[in-house]
Coordinates of all heavy atoms in Angstrom, one line a residue:
M1 N 46.7 9.6 -41.5 CA 46.7 8.4 -40.8 C 45.9 8.5 -39.5 O 45.9 9.6 -38.8 CB 48.1 8.0 -40.4 CG 48.3 6.7 -39.6 SD 50.0 6.3 -39.2 CE 49.7 5.4 -37.7
E2 N 45.1 7.5 -39.2 CA 44.2 7.6 -38.0 C 44.9 6.9 -36.8 O 46.0 6.2 -37.0 CB 42.9 6.7 -38.3 CG 42.1 7.4 -39.3 CD 41.6 8.7 -39.0 OE1 41.2 8.9 -37.9 OE2 41.6 9.6 -39.9
W3 N 44.5 7.1 -35.6 CA 45.0 6.5 -34.4 C 44.7 5.0 -34.6 O 43.6 4.6 -35.0 CB 44.3 7.1 -33.2 CG 44.8 8.4 -32.9 CD1 44.2 9.6 -33.4 CD2 45.9 8.8 -32.1 NE1 45.0 10.7 -32.9 CE2 46.0 10.2 -32.1 CE3 46.8 8.1 -31.3 CZ2 47.0 11.0 -31.4 CZ3 47.8 8.8 -30.6 CH2 47.8 10.2 -30.6
K4 N 45.6 4.2 -34.2 CA 45.5 2.7 -34.2 C 45.5 2.1 -32.8 O 46.4 2.5 -32.0 CB 46.5 2.1 -35.1 CG 46.5 0.6 -35.2 CD 47.6 0.1 -36.0 CE 47.6 -1.4 -36.0 NZ 48.7 -2.0 -36.7
E5 N 44.5 1.3 -32.5 CA 44.5 0.7 -31.1 C 45.3 -0.6 -31.3 O 45.0 -1.5 -32.1 CB 43.1 0.5 -30.6 CG 43.2 0.0 -29.2 CD 41.8 0.1 -28.5 OE1 40.9 0.8 -29.0 OE2 41.7 -0.5 -27.4
D6 N 46.4 -0.7 -30.5 CA 47.2 -1.9 -30.6 C 47.8 -2.2 -29.2 O 48.4 -1.3 -28.6 CB 48.3 -1.6 -31.6 CG 49.3 -2.9 -31.8 OD1 48.8 -4.0 -31.8 OD2 50.5 -2.6 -32.0
K7 N 47.7 -3.4 -28.8 CA 48.3 -3.8 -27.4 C 47.9 -2.8 -26.3 O 48.6 -2.4 -25.5 CB 49.8 -3.9 -27.5 CG 50.3 -5.0 -28.5 CD 51.7 -5.1 -28.5 CE 52.1 -6.1 -29.6 NZ 53.5 -6.2 -29.8
K8 N 46.5 -2.5 -26.3 CA 45.9 -1.7 -25.3 C 46.5 -0.3 -25.2 O 46.6 0.3 -24.2 CB 46.1 -2.4 -23.9 CG 45.4 -3.7 -23.8 CD 45.6 -4.3 -22.4 CE 44.9 -5.7 -22.4 NZ 44.9 -6.3 -21.1
R9 N 46.9 0.2 -26.4 CA 47.4 1.6 -26.5 C 46.9 2.2 -27.8 O 46.7 1.5 -28.8 CB 48.9 1.7 -26.6 CG 49.5 1.3 -25.2 CD 51.0 1.3 -25.4 NE 51.7 0.8 -24.2 CZ 52.5 1.6 -23.4 NH1 52.7 2.8 -23.8 NH2 52.9 1.0 -22.3
L10 N 46.6 3.5 -27.8 CA 46.3 4.2 -29.0 C 47.6 4.7 -29.6 O 48.4 5.3 -28.8 CB 45.4 5.4 -28.8 CG 43.9 5.2 -28.6 CD1 43.2 6.5 -28.4 CD2 43.3 4.5 -29.8
K11 N 47.9 4.5 -30.8 CA 49.3 4.8 -31.4 C 49.0 5.7 -32.7 O 48.1 5.4 -33.5 CB 50.0 3.6 -31.7 CG 50.4 2.7 -30.5 CD 51.2 1.5 -30.9 CE 51.6 0.7 -29.8 NZ 52.4 -0.5 -30.2
K12 N 49.9 6.6 -32.8 CA 50.0 7.4 -34.1 C 51.3 8.0 -34.3 O 51.9 8.5 -33.3 CB 48.9 8.4 -34.1 CG 48.7 9.2 -35.5 CD 47.5 10.0 -35.4 CE 47.3 10.8 -36.8 NZ 46.0 11.5 -36.7
S13 N 51.8 8.1 -35.5 CA 53.1 8.8 -35.8 C 52.7 10.0 -36.6 O 51.8 10.0 -37.5 CB 54.0 7.9 -36.6 OG 54.4 6.8 -35.8
F14 N 53.4 11.2 -36.4 CA 53.3 12.4 -37.1 C 54.6 12.7 -37.7 O 55.7 12.6 -37.1 CB 53.0 13.5 -36.1 CG 51.6 13.2 -35.4 CD1 51.5 12.5 -34.2 CD2 50.4 13.9 -35.9 CE1 50.3 12.2 -33.5 CE2 49.3 13.6 -35.2 CZ 49.2 12.8 -34.1
V15 N 54.7 13.1 -39.0 CA 55.9 13.5 -39.7 C 55.8 15.0 -40.1 O 54.8 15.4 -40.6 CB 56.1 12.6 -40.9 CG1 57.3 13.0 -41.7 CG2 56.2 11.1 -40.5
F16 N 56.9 15.7 -39.8 CA 56.9 17.1 -40.0 C 58.1 17.4 -40.9 O 58.9 16.6 -41.4 CB 57.2 17.8 -38.7 CG 56.0 17.6 -37.7 CD1 56.1 16.6 -36.8 CD2 54.9 18.3 -37.8 CE1 55.0 16.3 -36.0 CE2 53.8 18.1 -36.9 CZ 53.9 17.1 -36.0
K17 N 58.2 18.7 -41.4 CA 59.3 19.1 -42.3 C 60.6 18.9 -41.8 O 61.5 18.4 -42.5 CB 59.0 20.6 -42.6 CG 60.0 21.1 -43.7 CD 59.7 22.6 -44.0 CE 60.4 23.4 -43.0 NZ 60.3 24.8 -43.2
D18 N 60.9 19.2 -40.5 CA 62.2 19.0 -39.9 C 62.1 18.9 -38.4 O 61.0 18.8 -37.8 CB 63.0 20.3 -40.3 CG 62.4 21.6 -39.9 OD1 61.6 21.7 -38.9 OD2 62.7 22.6 -40.6
F19 N 63.2 18.9 -37.7 CA 63.2 18.7 -36.3 C 62.5 19.8 -35.5 O 61.8 19.6 -34.6 CB 64.6 18.5 -35.8 CG 64.8 18.4 -34.3 CD1 64.4 17.2 -33.6 CD2 65.2 19.5 -33.5 CE1 64.5 17.1 -32.3 CE2 65.3 19.4 -32.2 CZ 65.0 18.2 -31.5
S20 N 62.7 21.0 -36.0 CA 62.2 22.2 -35.3 C 60.6 22.1 -35.3 O 60.0 22.4 -34.3 CB 62.6 23.5 -36.0 OG 64.0 23.7 -35.8
E21 N 60.0 21.7 -36.4 CA 58.6 21.6 -36.5 C 58.1 20.5 -35.6 O 57.1 20.6 -34.9 CB 58.1 21.4 -37.9 CG 58.1 22.6 -38.7 CD 57.3 22.5 -40.0 OE1 56.7 21.5 -40.3 OE2 57.4 23.4 -40.9
A22 N 58.8 19.3 -35.6 CA 58.5 18.2 -34.7 C 58.6 18.6 -33.2 O 57.7 18.3 -32.5 CB 59.4 17.1 -35.0
F23 N 59.6 19.4 -32.9 CA 59.8 19.8 -31.5 C 58.7 20.8 -31.1 O 58.2 20.7 -30.0 CB 61.2 20.4 -31.3 CG 61.6 20.5 -29.9 CD1 62.1 19.5 -29.2 CD2 61.3 21.8 -29.2 CE1 62.4 19.7 -27.8 CE2 61.7 21.9 -27.9 CZ 62.2 20.9 -27.1
A24 N 58.4 21.7 -32.0 CA 57.3 22.7 -31.7 C 56.0 22.0 -31.4 O 55.2 22.3 -30.5 CB 57.2 23.7 -32.8
F25 N 55.7 20.9 -32.2 CA 54.5 20.1 -32.1 C 54.5 19.5 -30.7 O 53.5 19.5 -29.9 CB 54.4 19.1 -33.2 CG 53.4 17.9 -33.0 CD1 52.0 18.2 -33.0 CD2 53.8 16.7 -32.6 CE1 51.1 17.2 -32.8 CE2 52.9 15.7 -32.4 CZ 51.5 15.9 -32.5
M26 N 55.7 18.9 -30.3 CA 55.8 18.2 -29.0 C 55.6 19.2 -27.9 O 54.9 18.9 -26.8 CB 57.2 17.6 -28.9 CG 57.3 16.4 -29.8 SD 58.9 15.6 -29.7 CE 58.9 14.8 -28.1
A27 N 56.1 20.5 -28.0 CA 55.8 21.5 -27.0 C 54.3 21.8 -26.9 O 53.8 21.9 -25.7 CB 56.6 22.7 -27.4
R28 N 53.6 21.9 -28.0 CA 52.2 22.1 -27.9 C 51.4 21.0 -27.3 O 50.5 21.2 -26.5 CB 51.6 22.4 -29.3 CG 52.1 23.8 -29.9 CD 51.3 24.2 -31.2 NE 51.4 23.2 -32.2 CZ 52.3 23.0 -33.1 NH1 53.3 23.8 -33.2 NH2 52.2 22.1 -34.1
V29 N 51.8 19.7 -27.6 CA 51.2 18.6 -27.0 C 51.5 18.5 -25.5 O 50.6 18.2 -24.7 CB 51.7 17.3 -27.7 CG1 51.2 16.0 -27.0 CG2 51.1 17.2 -29.2
A30 N 52.7 18.9 -25.2 CA 53.1 18.9 -23.7 C 52.2 19.8 -22.9 O 51.7 19.4 -21.8 CB 54.5 19.2 -23.5
L31 N 51.9 21.0 -23.5 CA 51.1 21.9 -22.8 C 49.6 21.4 -22.7 O 48.9 21.6 -21.6 CB 51.1 23.3 -23.5 CG 52.5 24.0 -23.4 CD1 52.5 25.3 -24.3 CD2 52.8 24.4 -22.0
L32 N 49.2 20.8 -23.8 CA 47.8 20.3 -23.8 C 47.7 19.1 -22.8 O 46.7 19.1 -22.1 CB 47.5 19.8 -25.2 CG 46.2 19.2 -25.5 CD1 45.0 20.1 -25.3 CD2 46.2 18.6 -26.9
A33 N 48.6 18.2 -22.8 CA 48.6 17.1 -21.9 C 48.6 17.5 -20.4 O 47.9 16.9 -19.6 CB 49.8 16.2 -22.2
E34 N 49.4 18.5 -20.2 CA 49.6 19.0 -18.8 C 48.2 19.6 -18.4 O 47.7 19.3 -17.2 CB 50.7 20.0 -18.7 CG 50.9 20.5 -17.3 CD 51.5 19.4 -16.4 OE1 51.9 18.4 -16.9 OE2 51.4 19.6 -15.1
K35 N 47.5 20.3 -19.3 CA 46.3 20.9 -18.9 C 45.2 19.8 -18.7 O 44.3 20.0 -17.8 CB 45.8 21.8 -20.1 CG 44.5 22.5 -19.9 CD 44.2 23.5 -21.0 CE 42.9 24.2 -20.8 NZ 42.5 25.1 -21.9
M36 N 45.3 18.7 -19.4 CA 44.4 17.6 -19.3 C 44.8 16.6 -18.2 O 44.0 15.7 -17.9 CB 44.2 16.9 -20.6 CG 43.6 17.8 -21.8 SD 43.5 17.0 -23.3 CE 42.2 15.8 -23.1
N37 N 46.0 16.9 -17.7 CA 46.5 15.9 -16.7 C 46.5 14.5 -17.2 O 46.2 13.5 -16.5 CB 45.8 16.0 -15.3 CG 46.6 15.4 -14.2 OD1 47.8 15.3 -14.2 ND2 45.9 14.8 -13.3
H38 N 47.0 14.3 -18.4 CA 47.0 13.0 -19.0 C 48.2 13.0 -20.0 O 48.2 13.7 -21.0 CB 45.7 12.7 -19.8 CG 45.6 11.3 -20.2 ND1 45.7 10.3 -19.3 CD2 45.4 10.8 -21.4 CE1 45.6 9.1 -19.9 NE2 45.3 9.4 -21.2
H39 N 49.2 12.3 -19.7 CA 50.5 12.5 -20.4 C 50.9 11.3 -21.2 O 50.7 10.1 -20.8 CB 51.7 12.7 -19.3 CG 51.3 13.8 -18.4 ND1 50.7 13.7 -17.2 CD2 51.4 15.2 -18.6 CE1 50.5 14.8 -16.7 NE2 50.9 15.8 -17.4
P40 N 51.3 11.6 -22.4 CA 51.6 10.5 -23.4 C 53.0 9.8 -23.2 O 53.9 10.4 -22.6 CB 51.6 11.2 -24.8 CG 52.1 12.6 -24.4 CD 51.5 13.0 -23.1
N41 N 53.1 8.7 -23.7 CA 54.4 8.0 -24.0 C 54.7 8.4 -25.4 O 53.8 8.3 -26.3 CB 54.3 6.5 -23.9 CG 54.0 6.0 -22.5 OD1 54.6 6.5 -21.5 ND2 53.2 5.0 -22.3
W42 N 55.9 8.9 -25.7 CA 56.2 9.4 -27.0 C 57.7 9.2 -27.3 O 58.5 9.0 -26.4 CB 55.7 10.7 -27.3 CG 56.2 11.8 -26.4 CD1 57.2 11.8 -25.5 CD2 55.7 13.2 -26.4 NE1 57.3 13.1 -24.9 CE2 56.4 13.9 -25.4 CE3 54.7 13.8 -27.1 CZ2 56.1 15.2 -25.2 CZ3 54.4 15.1 -26.8 CH2 55.1 15.8 -25.9
S43 N 58.0 9.2 -28.6 CA 59.4 9.3 -29.0 C 59.5 10.2 -30.2 O 58.6 10.5 -30.9 CB 59.9 7.9 -29.4 OG 59.2 7.4 -30.5
N44 N 60.8 10.8 -30.4 CA 61.0 11.6 -31.5 C 62.3 11.3 -32.1 O 63.4 11.2 -31.4 CB 61.0 13.1 -30.9 CG 61.6 14.1 -31.9 OD1 62.7 14.7 -31.6 ND2 61.1 14.3 -33.0
V45 N 62.4 11.1 -33.4 CA 63.6 11.0 -34.2 C 63.5 12.0 -35.3 O 62.7 11.8 -36.2 CB 63.8 9.6 -34.6 CG1 65.1 9.5 -35.5 CG2 63.8 8.6 -33.5
Y46 N 64.3 13.0 -35.3 CA 64.4 14.0 -36.3 C 63.0 14.7 -36.5 O 62.6 15.4 -35.7 CB 65.1 13.6 -37.6 CG 65.2 14.8 -38.6 CD1 65.9 15.9 -38.3 CD2 64.6 14.7 -39.8 CE1 66.0 16.9 -39.1 CE2 64.7 15.7 -40.7 CZ 65.4 16.9 -40.3 OH 65.5 17.9 -41.3
N47 N 62.3 14.3 -37.6 CA 61.1 15.0 -38.0 C 59.8 14.1 -37.6 O 58.7 14.4 -38.0 CB 61.1 15.4 -39.5 CG 61.0 14.2 -40.3 OD1 61.5 13.1 -40.1 ND2 60.4 14.3 -41.5
K48 N 60.0 13.0 -37.0 CA 59.0 12.0 -36.7 C 58.7 11.9 -35.2 O 59.6 11.7 -34.4 CB 59.3 10.7 -37.2 CG 58.2 9.7 -37.1 CD 58.6 8.3 -37.8 CE 57.4 7.3 -37.6 NZ 57.8 6.0 -38.2
V49 N 57.4 12.1 -34.8 CA 57.0 12.0 -33.4 C 56.0 10.8 -33.4 O 55.0 10.8 -34.2 CB 56.3 13.3 -32.9 CG1 55.9 13.1 -31.5 CG2 57.3 14.5 -33.0
T50 N 56.3 9.9 -32.6 CA 55.3 8.7 -32.3 C 54.7 8.8 -30.9 O 55.5 9.0 -29.9 CB 56.1 7.4 -32.5 OG1 56.6 7.4 -33.9 CG2 55.1 6.3 -32.4
I51 N 53.4 8.8 -30.9 CA 52.7 9.0 -29.6 C 51.9 7.7 -29.3 O 51.2 7.1 -30.2 CB 51.7 10.2 -29.6 CG1 52.5 11.4 -29.9 CG2 51.0 10.3 -28.3 CD1 51.7 12.7 -30.0
E52 N 52.0 7.2 -28.0 CA 51.2 6.1 -27.6 C 50.4 6.6 -26.3 O 51.0 7.2 -25.5 CB 52.1 4.9 -27.2 CG 52.8 4.4 -28.3 CD 53.6 3.1 -28.0 OE1 53.6 2.8 -26.8 OE2 54.2 2.5 -28.9
L53 N 49.1 6.3 -26.3 CA 48.3 6.8 -25.2 C 47.6 5.5 -24.5 O 47.1 4.6 -25.2 CB 47.1 7.7 -25.7 CG 47.6 9.0 -26.4 CD1 46.4 9.7 -27.0 CD2 48.4 9.9 -25.5
S54 N 47.6 5.5 -23.3 CA 46.9 4.6 -22.4 C 46.7 5.2 -21.0 O 47.4 6.1 -20.7 CB 47.6 3.2 -22.4 OG 48.8 3.3 -21.6
S55 N 45.7 4.7 -20.3 CA 45.4 5.2 -19.0 C 46.1 4.3 -17.9 O 45.6 3.3 -17.7 CB 43.9 5.4 -18.8 OG 43.4 6.3 -19.6
H56 N 47.2 4.9 -17.3 CA 47.9 4.0 -16.4 C 47.1 3.8 -15.2 O 47.1 2.6 -14.7 CB 49.2 4.8 -16.0 CG 50.0 5.2 -17.1 ND1 50.7 4.3 -17.9 CD2 50.2 6.5 -17.6 CE1 51.3 4.9 -18.9 NE2 51.1 6.2 -18.7
D57 N 46.2 4.7 -14.7 CA 45.4 4.5 -13.5 C 44.3 3.6 -13.7 O 43.5 3.2 -12.8 CB 45.0 5.9 -12.9 CG 44.2 6.7 -13.9 OD1 44.1 6.4 -15.1 OD2 43.6 7.7 -13.5
A58 N 44.0 3.2 -15.0 CA 42.9 2.3 -15.3 C 43.5 0.9 -15.7 O 42.7 0.1 -16.3 CB 42.0 2.9 -16.4
G59 N 44.7 0.7 -15.4 CA 45.4 -0.6 -15.7 C 46.0 -0.7 -17.1 O 46.1 -1.7 -17.8
N60 N 46.4 0.5 -17.6 CA 47.1 0.6 -18.9 C 46.2 0.1 -20.0 O 46.6 -0.8 -20.9 CB 48.4 -0.2 -18.8 CG 49.5 0.6 -18.0 OD1 49.6 1.8 -18.1 ND2 50.1 -0.2 -17.2
I61 N 45.1 0.6 -20.1 CA 44.1 0.3 -21.2 C 43.7 1.6 -21.8 O 43.9 2.7 -21.3 CB 42.9 -0.5 -20.7 CG1 42.1 0.3 -19.7 CG2 43.2 -1.9 -20.2 CD1 40.7 -0.3 -19.4
V62 N 43.1 1.5 -23.0 CA 42.6 2.7 -23.7 C 41.2 3.1 -23.0 O 40.3 2.2 -23.0 CB 42.4 2.5 -25.2 CG1 41.8 3.7 -25.8 CG2 43.8 2.2 -25.8
T63 N 41.1 4.3 -22.7 CA 39.9 4.8 -22.1 C 39.4 6.1 -22.8 O 40.1 6.6 -23.7 CB 40.1 5.2 -20.6 OG1 40.9 6.3 -20.5 CG2 40.6 4.0 -19.7
A64 N 38.2 6.6 -22.4 CA 37.7 7.8 -23.0 C 38.7 9.0 -22.8 O 38.8 9.9 -23.7 CB 36.4 8.2 -22.4
K65 N 39.5 8.9 -21.8 CA 40.5 10.0 -21.6 C 41.5 10.0 -22.6 O 42.0 11.0 -23.1 CB 41.1 9.8 -20.2 CG 41.9 10.9 -19.6 CD 42.3 10.5 -18.2 CE 42.9 11.7 -17.4 NZ 43.3 11.3 -16.1
D66 N 42.0 8.8 -23.1 CA 42.9 8.7 -24.2 C 42.3 9.2 -25.5 O 43.0 9.9 -26.3 CB 43.4 7.2 -24.3 CG 44.0 6.7 -23.0 OD1 45.0 7.2 -22.6 OD2 43.4 5.8 -22.5
R67 N 41.1 8.8 -25.8 CA 40.5 9.2 -27.0 C 40.3 10.7 -27.0 O 40.4 11.4 -28.1 CB 39.1 8.5 -27.2 CG 39.3 7.0 -27.3 CD 38.1 6.2 -27.7 NE 38.3 4.8 -27.6 CZ 39.0 4.1 -28.4 NH1 39.6 4.6 -29.4 NH2 39.0 2.7 -28.2
K68 N 40.0 11.3 -25.9 CA 39.8 12.8 -25.8 C 41.1 13.5 -26.1 O 41.2 14.5 -26.9 CB 39.3 13.1 -24.4 CG 39.0 14.6 -24.3 CD 38.5 14.9 -22.9 CE 38.2 16.4 -22.7 NZ 37.7 16.7 -21.4
L69 N 42.2 13.0 -25.6 CA 43.5 13.6 -25.8 C 44.0 13.4 -27.3 O 44.5 14.3 -27.9 CB 44.6 13.0 -24.9 CG 46.0 13.6 -25.0 CD1 46.1 15.1 -24.9 CD2 47.0 12.9 -24.0
A70 N 43.7 12.2 -27.8 CA 44.0 11.9 -29.2 C 43.3 12.9 -30.1 O 43.9 13.4 -31.1 CB 43.6 10.5 -29.6
K71 N 42.0 13.1 -29.9 CA 41.3 14.1 -30.6 C 41.8 15.5 -30.5 O 42.0 16.1 -31.6 CB 39.8 14.0 -30.2 CG 38.9 14.9 -31.0 CD 37.5 14.8 -30.6 CE 36.6 15.7 -31.5 NZ 35.2 15.7 -31.1
A72 N 42.2 15.9 -29.3 CA 42.8 17.2 -29.2 C 44.1 17.3 -29.9 O 44.5 18.4 -30.4 CB 42.9 17.5 -27.7
I73 N 44.9 16.3 -29.9 CA 46.2 16.3 -30.6 C 46.0 16.4 -32.1 O 46.7 17.3 -32.7 CB 47.1 15.0 -30.3 CG1 47.5 15.1 -28.8 CG2 48.2 14.9 -31.2 CD1 48.1 13.7 -28.3
D74 N 45.0 15.7 -32.6 CA 44.7 15.8 -34.0 C 44.3 17.3 -34.4 O 44.6 17.8 -35.4 CB 43.6 14.8 -34.4 CG 44.1 13.4 -34.6 OD1 45.3 13.3 -34.8 OD2 43.3 12.5 -34.6
Q75 N 43.6 17.9 -33.5 CA 43.2 19.3 -33.7 C 44.3 20.3 -33.8 O 44.3 21.2 -34.5 CB 42.1 19.7 -32.7 CG 40.8 19.0 -32.9 CD 39.8 19.3 -31.8 OE1 40.1 19.8 -30.7 NE2 38.5 19.1 -32.1
L76 N 45.3 19.9 -33.0 CA 46.6 20.8 -33.1 C 47.2 20.7 -34.5 O 47.7 21.7 -35.0 CB 47.6 20.3 -32.1 CG 47.4 20.5 -30.6 CD1 48.6 19.9 -29.8 CD2 47.3 22.0 -30.3
V77 N 47.1 19.6 -35.1 CA 47.7 19.4 -36.4 C 46.8 19.9 -37.6 O 47.3 20.5 -38.5 CB 48.1 17.9 -36.7 CG1 48.6 17.7 -38.1 CG2 49.1 17.5 -35.7
N78 N 45.5 19.5 -37.4 CA 44.6 19.9 -38.5 C 43.8 21.2 -38.3 O 43.1 21.5 -39.2 CB 43.6 18.7 -38.5 CG 44.2 17.4 -38.8 OD1 45.1 17.3 -39.5 ND2 43.7 16.3 -38.2
G79 N 44.1 21.8 -37.2 CA 43.4 23.2 -37.0 C 42.0 23.0 -36.7 O 41.1 23.4 -36.7

């Protein structure tokens, strides 16, 4: 599944084998987001992580910063 732009946010859901894999993914994303100083809105229910990206300092719209983070997140999953 690709990132979808909806209501001025980039959105994507990731499904993992179990909660432990989902949580490990979230930890990796958290470190990446902190390094980029760009933090996602996200939720987690068991093995599913849903991420929404927008740039708060640009008026809550999708910017190049969001697309860069989305690409980096995909690289975590796809290697």
